[in-house]
Amino acid sequence: MSEFQPLVALVVTPVVLAVALPLVERWASRLAGPLATGAYLLQVGLAALVTSRVLSSGPVRYALGGFPPSYGIELVVDGLGAAVVLLVAVVGLGAHTYTRVHGPRDAAARALGLLLVAGLSGIAVTGDLFNLYVFLEIAGIAAYALVARSSGGAAALAAFRYLLVGTVGATLYLLGVAYAYAATGTLNFAALAAYLAKAGYSDPLVVAGFGFALVGLAVKIALVPAHTWLPDAHSKAPASVSVLLSGLVTTAAVYALVRLLASVYTPAFLLANPVFRAALVAAGVLSVLVGGVAAFRQHKLKRLLAYSTVAQLGLVVAGVGLASEIAVRGAVIHLLGHAVMKGGLFLAAGALAERHGATTLEAYDGLGRREPLLGGAVAVLALGMVGFPPTVGFVGKWYVAVGALQQGAWALLAVVLLSTFLSLAYFGPLVRRLFFPASDSAKPGHDDASGHHATDGGTDYGVEKGESAPADPLPVGAWVGPVVAAAATVGLGIGAHYVLRLVGPALEVFP
Amino acid sequence: MESLRPLLAVCLPALAALGIFALAERPNAREAVSVLASLGLLGVVASMVPAVLAGETFTLTLAPFVAGVPLALRADGLALLFALLASLLWPVATIYSIGYVRALDESHQTRYFASFAASIAVTMGVAFAGNLLVLFVWYELLTLATYPLVVHKGSAEAKRVGRRYVAFGLLGGTAVLAGCLLVYALAGSLAFTPGGIAALTGADPLLVNTAFALLVGGFGVKAAVIPFYVWLPDAMVAPTPVSSLLHAVAVVKSGVFGLARVVLFVFGPELVRTLGLSGALAALAAATTLLAALLAIRQERFKRGLAYSTVSQLSYIVLGVAVLVPDAVFGALLHIAAHAFMKLSLFFCAGIIYVETHVEYIKPLRGISRRLPLTAALFGVAAAGLVGFPLLAGFVSKWYLLVGLLGDGRLLLAGAVLVASLLKLVFFWPIVTSVVFSEATDAQRDRDPSTVGGPEPGKLWEHRTWRNETTWLLLGPLVAAVGFAVAFGVVPTELPFFGLAERVVTEVLGA
């Protein structure tokens, strides 16, 4: 058992820096920005270090305070955890880059952002059931505060609702922890896995414990019918916060669910209690359908994106519910891919709203020509969401579909295939509007009998004059996030095999 | 043999698309990129022909994509037959495109040429796909890459057609995906194997039948088989060069090509025969060829008529592949090339007529040989070839098809082919005669929209000679295309398509 210090640093450094940031701003305000950037870069470095260690020598552990794991708190990272840690760090950095251009830039918002990153990283590295609750709450509180800080009564209301529902979810989860503790007397993942098996998978305490934890997490994931808090919370916040909420917070909740199934309750528990599998698949399918239809009915882009999160995570949870290795692999790929794509989309939506005031679908008419870089990124990301091959959105669906097929889950298979059309129904018009605006006349000067107008010089064939080039050039911080995300959408799709090499070993427990 | 050339063939036009965007402000340089890339591609593809004719198969395995399915490219006889055809006609169509869009002063020319190059890149991907999943990836991307060309006009009608185009394309793609999933679940492999994947033989016949139906239906969408043909006549809203190379060659033949891959390289002749699937597919194709030939006659718009004729001709190919008789398959494969040459010529004629006179309907074509003498003459030649006159491309392929059908005693199917040919004569004969012989239009011309563009009532078309009837950028490609069609009819064995088709038949049917 190796003691790996960077594991602790993953959680501790962002917390320390989050506390330090407001102080630094007070005494040396010019250093606050670079310090925050440094914090995110450090986080990415640490995450990369942990990931490479996991890749080279398997899961790494750290016993906090030197207490033996079944009594003290243990941090454990396997490939799945490492992938989430890396995701949190990179998406966090992307969101931070955006804040350097379009804000919010104040120390409090940055401190809360770092706190959120600390909490999410903690969720990914902890090996303790109660500790997981603590990190869920840290992340949750940072998230509520971030939403509440945005101006306007609607945001305050959304934040309050988010707080209420989130706390209910966390409390239900805590109740589940209590039951599990009562049944086994331990909170360590590995020890629980052994003791729960000993207590028996049909023991009412064990079953009730899982049931409460599952419902609690379902609320945090925003599975239908517990999804109604999400669209307001995610769309009322500033873009840089929406990225963290839609890309990371819900993702971490799904990760917690997968972790419970893989390492704590184990797939054997699920096989013994098929009702939970059915519930997961049903809730997932319902989320795909309800989220998809709701997204289709939105005019505001951010709400559309928020509802799409409900639909996409529904697909992930349905895949987890199948509980076969191949389906869960697909679910995890889709989970990671969705985080990257949704993060990029929210960043691009934010930049377009800041620069052109475009918040509705109608306002996106022709924006792709004025902002080719952002427009192109949005197009790739949206098509990835639809599941066009070879993007990562396709690979996740493929594995989930293969899993559904192998188990003869025909309804789920049909929904996976149908979800392509559903997401095309709302992402398709977005992409079309970007590049083929409704107001696009057939062709300027074509109806003109003379056939020639001022711009038709001899060698000017089809060159579009900068009809409405933006006055100011696009700052790097506004495009780098979406463009990197778009590249990753394709790269992770073609290179999904390498992602699976990292996360695969953690999922081998599934049959 | 491992070779990078198939990859190069995909990358070259893709890079050209990027180059075209980069040179958006310099039209002549931009068009030079198109021309040079098309010639370069032809060189790359042609360089593989001698070795493949000698029995070599080039392959390239890049990386694992999803479990058990690598990203693989494969250049065998069938792949090269299709790739050589598309890359041979791309330079021709490029020159024609330049003449066409410049003469009409089309808007968004950069997007046009870039999308054109991207479509060719995707077509190369379809041709060189090494397994069914990779083929599916490119098949989906083909819908995307050609979409900007379909909606190029930007009119409300174009957008409506574009929506339908994507819906049909995605419907087909999803059916192919479902078929891929089933085959993968049944056989554990999607690799193209001459004669079929062995593991499918022992599988559950119901599932095998379902997979076959899904794949045939999915590829049948782009191959325009009943009832999926309706998108093709609509897609004629695109600029004529697009209709000529993409919607008469690249896109529709991707569907036919996919069908051939499925029948010959996934399920294999043996299995298709034993399951009784061949008869059903052949009957469907025969019905399509007859129905489309009838519908063509009823069309008033020239390009729509040609599109229905394409639907009819494509089903010859499907029919030949479906009956699995060596001679018929051989004829069908030849017809892929033969039909391409002739239909390209006919669309080039339609484009010249539109550029010079803005006539879109058949009615006002009366006597137009005065205005466009060489175009009218070449139109007659190409039409004769499509009907099946000897010494022209269509005769050779149809000969083998009929020999195969009659030799196998499929009298009904042979009858359908002959009747359809007769219907083609009924379609083309009045057009050819009225183009050449008709006198001045009579006075009963009213304000019928279908007569717009013709000469004034009671007048003849203006008299011009072949020197000044239109620009050589348009006429040159037409002469070349008709030249190919004649060469294919006079010395078919001298063209590589003959040998490549022979190679496929030997490889798959061993005859």
Side-chain angles (χ1 to χ4, degrees):
Chain A
M1 190 179 293
S2 56
E3 295 285 332
F4 195 56
Q5 305 287 351
L7 219 50
V8 189
L10 266 176
V11 183
V12 175
T13 41
V15 172
V16 171
L17 289 168
V19 175
L21 254 182
L23 298 173
V24 170
E25 177 161 69
R26 184 135 192 188
W27 307 117
S29 58
R30 277 193 313 172
L31 291 180
L35 180 65
T37 307
Y40 281 106
L41 286 173
L42 181 63
Q43 189 75 3
V44 172
L46 286 171
L49 198 63
V50 169
T51 307
S52 72
R53 178 67 176 254
V54 171
L55 272 176
S56 63
S57 52
V60 290
R61 301 161 182 282
Y62 187 88
L64 283 180
F67 294 105
S70 49
Y71 303 105
I73 295 173
E74 188 191 26
L75 302 184
V76 192
V77 170
D78 56 7
L80 179 60
V84 173
V85 164
L86 199 58
L87 177 82
V88 168
V90 171
V91 175
L93 180 65
H96 172 73
T97 316
Y98 173 88
T99 63
R100 300 216 59 167
V101 183
H102 291 304
R105 271 186 293 256
D106 58 300
R110 280 181 171 158
L112 284 171
L114 277 174
L115 205 57
L116 184 62
V117 165
L120 296 170
S121 304
I123 293 171
V125 301
T126 188
D128 183 282
L129 208 56
F130 179 75
N131 199 226
L132 180 59
Y133 164 75
V134 173
F135 283 126
L136 276 173
E137 278 298 72
I138 292 179
I141 289 167
Y144 313 143
L146 278 168
V147 176
R149 283 180 42 80
S150 42
S151 55
L157 189 64
F160 186 60
R161 212 162 138 200
Y162 188 18
L163 167 78
L164 281 183
V165 178
T167 307
V168 168
T171 310
L172 285 171
Y173 171 77
L174 185 60
L175 210 54
V177 174
Y179 275 99
Y181 187 66
T184 61
T186 182
L187 291 167
N188 180 273
F189 285 175
L192 269 168
Y195 288 140
L196 284 169
K198 211 183 280 171
Y201 289 137
S202 50
D203 181 352
L205 275 180
V206 175
V207 174
F210 183 77
F212 278 117
L214 178 64
V215 174
L217 289 175
V219 172
K220 290 248 169 204
I221 300 169
L223 284 179
V224 171
H227 68 290
T228 49
W229 58 270
L230 182 139
D232 279 337
H234 285 196
S235 62
K236 291 290 186 291
S240 60
V241 175
S242 306
V243 173
L244 300 177
L245 297 182
S246 238
L248 297 182
V249 176
T250 43
T251 302
V254 180
Y255 164 80
L257 175 65
V258 176
R259 178 57 71 200
L260 281 192
L261 288 176
S263 309
V264 182
Y265 285 87
T266 71
F269 170 80
L270 267 192
L271 290 178
N273 295 284
V275 59
F276 288 122
R277 288 178 68 187
L280 281 170
V281 172
V285 164
L286 211 58
S287 300
V288 170
L289 298 176
V290 172
V293 171
F296 176 65
R297 298 177 49 181
Q298 303 306 315
H299 287 288
K300 297 223 169 190
L301 190 69
K302 282 183 81 176
R303 288 187 73 83
L304 184 157
L305 293 178
Y307 273 113
S308 132
T309 301
V310 174
Q312 300 284 351
L313 293 185
L315 191 68
V316 173
V317 170
V320 172
L322 287 176
S324 68
E325 189 185 354
I326 201 152
V328 178
R329 279 171 165 233
V332 167
I333 290 269
H334 204 62
L335 180 68
L336 301 172
H338 168 261
V340 171
M341 293 187 281
K342 193 53 67 68
L345 278 171
F346 266 117
L347 285 181
L352 290 172
E354 294 282 346
R355 294 169 62 76
H356 302 283
T359 56
T360 60
L361 278 181
E362 288 75 21
Y364 268 66
D365 255 5
L367 261 189
R369 290 200 202 131
R370 294 158 75 181
E371 300 275 13
L373 207 52
L374 282 177
V378 169
V380 172
L381 291 165
L383 294 174
M385 281 284 185
V386 173
F388 265 92
T391 65
V392 65
F394 165 73
V395 178
K397 271 185 193 174
W398 167 266
Y399 279 113
V400 173
V402 170
L405 192 62
Q406 283 175 351
Q407 296 188 17
W410 302 110
L412 178 57
L413 181 64
V415 168
V416 171
L417 295 176
L418 178 80
S419 71
T420 307
F421 287 95
L422 214 50
S423 40
L424 185 77
Y426 52 88
F427 277 122
L430 171 69
V431 176
R432 184 177 55 74
R433 275 178 190 280
L434 274 172
F435 296 99
F436 308 99
S439 54
D440 195 11
S441 60
K443 146 174 157 39
H446 182 64
D447 300 324
D448 185 358
S450 70
H452 281 276
H453 47 101
T455 57
D456 273 10
T459 58
D460 204 24
Y461 301 108
V463 174
E464 278 99 55
K465 291 286 169 209
E467 31 188 50
S468 45
D472 50 333
L474 192 65
V476 177
W479 61 258
V480 70
V483 169
V484 170
T489 302
V490 179
L492 289 177
I494 294 175
H497 183 74
Y498 299 100
V499 182
L500 283 174
R501 201 183 285 173
L502 174 63
V503 303
L507 307 175
E508 275 166 9
V509 293
F510 288 97
Chain B
M1 189 167 78
E2 286 274 319
S3 168
L4 281 173
R5 277 179 279 177
L7 184 65
L8 189 60
V10 178
C11 290
L12 195 66
L15 290 174
L18 294 179
I20 290 166
F21 270 123
L23 292 170
E25 302 292 326
R26 295 170 58 204
N28 287 332
R30 180 186 69 191
E31 263 75 301
V33 170
S34 288
V35 175
L36 290 177
S38 65
L39 293 174
L41 177 64
L42 179 57
V44 171
V45 174
S47 76
M48 285 185 276
V49 171
V52 170
L53 280 176
E56 184 68 72
T57 297
F58 295 103
T59 55
L60 181 63
T61 307
L62 291 168
F65 183 39
V66 296
V69 186
L71 284 174
L73 299 177
R74 171 190 176 93
D76 57 5
L78 187 58
L80 268 182
L81 179 73
F82 184 36
L84 183 65
L85 180 68
S87 59
L88 177 67
L89 297 179
W90 188 30
V92 181
T94 300
I95 309 271
Y96 186 86
S97 282
I98 296 170
Y100 185 87
V101 296
R102 290 193 173 188
L104 288 177
D105 189 23
E106 292 270 351
S107 59
H108 305 305
Q109 290 185 16
T110 302
R111 185 180 80 194
Y112 172 89
F113 282 108
S115 303
F116 213 108
S119 302
I120 296 293
V122 176
T123 306
M124 289 299 130
V126 169
F128 291 126
N131 59 53
L132 197 55
L133 190 66
V134 175
L135 177 59
F136 158 76
V137 170
W138 293 111
Y139 189 70
E140 286 278 72
L141 290 178
L142 191 57
T143 308
L144 273 187
T146 47
Y147 174 80
L149 297 168
V150 173
V151 299
H152 183 83
K153 260 188 192 159
S155 62
E157 190 206 359
K159 289 221 186 71
R160 188 181 53 74
V161 166
R163 252 200 310 279
R164 206 157 142 171
Y165 185 76
V166 171
F168 268 92
L170 215 62
L171 193 74
T174 305
V176 172
L177 173 60
C180 283
L181 281 164
L182 268 177
V183 172
Y184 178 72
L186 293 173
S189 162
L190 292 172
F192 291 140
T193 321
I197 301 172
L200 273 176
T201 314
D204 179 359
L206 176 66
L207 291 178
V208 173
N209 273 320
T210 314
F212 188 79
L214 284 167
L215 287 170
V216 164
F219 286 116
V221 169
K222 286 219 197 307
V225 176
I226 285 180
F228 305 118
Y229 63 86
V230 288
W231 65 269
L232 184 59
D234 280 353
M236 294 301 121
V237 68
T240 307
V242 175
S243 307
S244 68
L245 184 58
L246 296 179
H247 291 133
V249 182
V251 173
V252 290
K253 265 144 203 167
S254 295
V256 175
F257 176 81
L259 268 175
R261 279 290 195 209
V262 167
V263 172
L264 303 176
F265 289 81
V266 174
F267 289 86
E270 280 303 313
L271 185 59
V272 173
R273 227 178 264 137
T274 35
L275 289 172
L277 301 164
S278 128
L281 183 56
L284 195 66
T288 308
T289 196
L290 285 175
L291 178 77
L294 277 173
L295 286 173
I297 297 168
R298 294 188 42 198
Q299 300 307 312
E300 295 189 333
R301 281 185 186 228
F302 195 25
K303 276 177 72 183
R304 277 186 81 88
L306 293 181
Y308 276 105
S309 150
T310 301
V311 174
S312 178
Q313 298 279 345
L314 288 170
S315 277
Y316 283 164
I317 306 171
V318 177
L319 178 63
V321 171
V323 294
L324 295 167
V325 185
D327 275 335
V329 174
F330 181 66
L333 295 175
L334 283 187
H335 204 59
I336 293 182
H339 170 250
F341 297 140
M342 297 177 294
K343 198 44 75 65
L344 193 74
S345 310
L346 290 173
F347 272 113
F348 280 177
C349 293
I352 291 176
I353 292 169
Y354 180 70
V355 165
E356 292 298 324
T357 67
H358 283 282
V359 167
E360 287 184 78
Y361 287 81
I362 292 174
K363 228 188 243 176
L365 290 178
R366 264 181 284 195
I368 205 169
S369 59
R370 271 174 68 85
R371 170 71 179 78
L372 300 164
L374 186 54
T375 305
L378 294 175
F379 173 76
V381 173
L386 217 44
V387 174
F389 276 82
L391 289 182
L392 290 166
F395 174 75
V396 183
S397 48
K398 232 180 268 182
W399 171 264
Y400 281 103
L401 181 60
L402 283 171
V403 166
L405 288 175
L406 291 172
D408 199 45
R410 310 284 191 102
L411 296 180
L412 268 180
L413 294 176
V417 170
L418 287 172
V419 171
S421 296
L422 199 65
L423 289 171
K424 301 255 155 45
L425 189 63
V426 175
F427 171 63
F428 280 114
W429 185 257
I431 303 180
V432 172
T433 50
S434 84
V435 159
V436 177
F437 299 113
S438 184
E439 288 305 306
T441 45
D442 40 31
Q444 56 169 269
R445 267 177 66 117
D446 42 308
R447 292 287 96 198
D448 182 356
S450 67
T451 56
V452 167
E456 288 298 305
K459 296 262 179 64
L460 286 176
W461 282 98
E462 171 196 355
H463 184 73
R464 288 204 192 175
T465 68
W466 60 273
R467 286 170 203 282
N468 64 354
E469 66 179 83
T470 183
T471 155
W472 279 102
L473 283 175
L474 295 173
L475 210 49
L478 172 60
V479 171
V482 175
F484 288 139
V486 173
F488 200 94
V490 180
V491 283
T493 49
E494 296 301 309
L495 298 184
F497 301 103
F498 201 86
L500 289 170
E502 268 181 341
R503 157 102 208 265
V504 178
V505 173
T506 327
E507 194 177 25
V508 179
L509 298 163

